[in-house]
């Protein structure tokens, strides 16, 4: 089975997590990081989830799952610990056209959650198609060693410059893409941004652009 990789904008979207154990808590924290509106259905929850509920960061329904819990949801995570219940919820979601992820059951899931390396707005996702979460975790650790905080610094800097660069660069997509590739590959620019010398970094950008079109 092939999967289409994408990043979802979930800010303000209603999402459901069925299960209040450690796995459910991990799913909840990931959704909160994406600023989703989270509902948890479970008779019992971890201390961490209980605290989040007290803080008003999620809605907790302290009972077993009911089909009507799916109403209005755009995304569902199932981690109840009850295999038969998990399968039943997954079936309900498929019938309702709701994307669902079932813990430890990729064959019943309509989407998988990758291992993610985060450096600010930079996110790198690793998926093994559900075949080996251990390998995905291993690759994540390797990437975390190789991808340092300087990558986010450069990303932020280029994001700030983007409107200006789009104005001064030729209105030619191919040439503009070549200029951006030149900047990303320039080690001097990387070093200046990593040091926090924005003035010198902007001067280096001007030099690179000038050299590009001389």
């Amino acid at each position: 089975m092939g999967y289409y990789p994408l990043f979802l904008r979930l800010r303000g979207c209603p999402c459901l997590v069925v299960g209040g154990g450690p796995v459910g808590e991990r799913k909840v924290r990931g959704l909160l990081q994406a600023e989703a509106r989270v509902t948890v259905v479970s008779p019992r929850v971890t201390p961490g989830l209980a605290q989040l509920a007290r803080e008003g960061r999620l809605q907790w329904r302290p009972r077993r799952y009911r089909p009507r819990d799916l109403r209005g949801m755009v995304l569902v995570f199932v981690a109840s610990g009850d295999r038969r219940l998990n399968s039943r919820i997954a079936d309900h979601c498929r019938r309702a056209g709701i994307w669902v992820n079932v813990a430890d059951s990729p064959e019943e899931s309509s989407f998988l959650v990758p291992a993610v390396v985060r450096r600010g707005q930079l996110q790198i996702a690793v998926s093994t198609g559900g075949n080996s979460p251990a390998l995905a975790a291993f690759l994540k650790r390797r990437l975390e060693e190789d991808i340092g905080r300087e990558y986010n610094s450069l990303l932020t800097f280029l994001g700030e410059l983007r409107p200006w660069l789009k104005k001064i660069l030729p209105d030619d997509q191919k040439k503009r893409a070549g200029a951006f590739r030149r900047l990303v590959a320039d080690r001097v620019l990387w070093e200046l941004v990593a040091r926090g010398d924005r003035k010198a970094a902007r001067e280096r950008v001007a030099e690179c652009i000038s050299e590009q079109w001389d």
Side-chain angles (χ1 to χ4, degrees):
M1 182 185 297
Y3 291 91
Y4 188 87
L6 78 165
F7 289 89
L8 297 176
R9 184 187 297 274
L10 292 177
R11 178 182 296 173
C13 294
C15 299
L16 176 68
V17 177
V18 181
V23 175
E25 182 175 345
R26 288 200 301 272
K27 305 304 183 184
V28 166
R29 293 190 180 279
L31 289 170
L32 291 177
Q33 191 170 21
E35 300 181 37
R37 289 194 290 116
V38 182
T39 297
V40 174
V41 174
S42 179
R44 294 171 299 280
V45 297
T46 63
L49 288 175
Q51 180 62 35
L52 290 171
R54 286 192 293 270
E55 294 171 357
R57 298 182 62 192
L58 59 82
Q59 180 185 7
W60 174 28
R61 298 173 183 169
R63 54 168 173 75
R64 288 180 62 82
Y65 161 83
R66 299 170 185 168
R68 65 172 179 265
D69 290 322
L70 298 180
R71 292 175 186 169
M73 298 299 171
V74 301
L75 206 68
V76 175
F77 285 93
V78 187
S80 74
D82 181 332
R83 291 296 310 138
R84 294 181 64 181
L85 176 60
N86 288 357
S87 295
R88 185 158 61 90
I89 298 172
D91 183 62
H92 290 170
C93 289
R94 285 190 293 270
R95 292 173 183 271
I98 302 172
W99 285 15
V100 61
N101 176 271
V102 182
D104 296 326
S105 185
E107 65 277 3
E108 294 181 296
S109 303
S110 53
F111 71 95
L112 303 179
V113 180
V116 179
V117 175
R118 290 184 173 88
R119 294 291 182 262
Q121 293 190 38
L122 176 64
Q123 297 187 62
I124 304 172
V126 179
S127 175
T128 58
N131 290 298
S132 179
L135 177 58
F138 171 78
L139 293 173
K140 175 185 176 180
R141 290 193 297 271
R142 289 290 300 272
L143 287 169
E144 286 174 334
E145 294 172 0
D146 295 338
I147 307 297
R149 300 290 176 184
E150 68 274 12
Y151 281 80
N152 181 57
S153 298
L154 181 64
L155 174 62
T156 301
F157 176 74
L158 292 175
E160 293 169 354
L161 288 184
R162 189 173 180 83
W164 173 70
L165 290 171
K166 291 180 73 172
K167 286 182 180 179
I168 68 170
L169 292 174
D171 191 18
D172 181 307
Q173 183 61 35
K174 187 174 181 179
K175 291 182 178 180
R176 183 176 289 171
F180 278 109
R181 286 195 297 270
R182 167 71 187 277
L183 292 176
V184 170
D186 189 81
R187 299 307 304 178
V188 174
L189 179 61
W190 277 73
E191 292 169 4
L192 293 172
V193 172
R195 293 207 307 262
D197 192 342
R198 294 299 183 93
K199 182 176 183 295
R202 285 176 176 270
E203 292 173 353
R204 179 59 183 172
V205 169
E207 290 177 8
C208 290
I209 297 301
S210 176
E211 293 170 2
Q212 180 87 9
W213 306 118
D214 280 350

